[in-house]
Amino acid sequence: MPPVPKMTQETPPTQNEADKTRPYTFHGIELTSFGTQSAGECPFCGKAKKFYISVNTGQHQCKVCGVEGSAIGFLRTLWERSIAATTALDLAALA
């Protein structure tokens, strides 16, 4: 049985971890694995290594701004904030 990594040891996510963290990494969050959690920069407040994701469940939580939930909730929050930030000029540029 391989040794369990220490909480301070930074390792890249394994294949099983990547499955639960894929919605986050797909949207540009670079993660560092710490055992059963991965950490990265919060996409909502911008604080580095304060956005934690459980590699077992895919649940996320930012220790600074308090955003938390599931991967689907994360995607919904990204979508809602992108719609809110879209201006008429942005839409005109797409036409």
Side-chain angles (χ1 to χ4, degrees):
M1 181 183 219
V4 177
K6 296 179 182 177
M7 291 297 288
T8 57
Q9 180 182 1
E10 295 184 11
T11 56
T14 65
Q15 182 60 38
N16 285 340
E17 293 168 350
D19 294 341
K20 297 290 184 178
T21 61
R22 186 158 189 254
Y24 306 98
T25 57
F26 181 82
H27 288 281
I29 301 174
E30 294 182 21
L31 297 174
T32 303
S33 181
F34 297 97
T36 62
Q37 291 191 352
S38 290
E41 181 178 316
C42 179
F44 306 111
C45 71
K47 297 295 181 181
K49 295 193 180 184
K50 296 296 181 182
F51 189 73
Y52 290 87
I53 301 161
S54 168
V55 297
N56 296 326
T57 65
Q59 296 285 317
H60 66 274
Q61 180 185 31
C62 178
K63 302 295 184 181
V64 176
C65 67
V67 171
E68 63 183 3
S70 66
I72 292 178
F74 168 76
L75 296 173
R76 182 178 50 241
T77 303
L78 279 181
W79 178 78
E80 289 169 350
R81 291 185 182 203
S82 67
I83 292 296
T86 303
T87 66
L89 291 174
D90 295 328
L91 294 174
L94 294 173

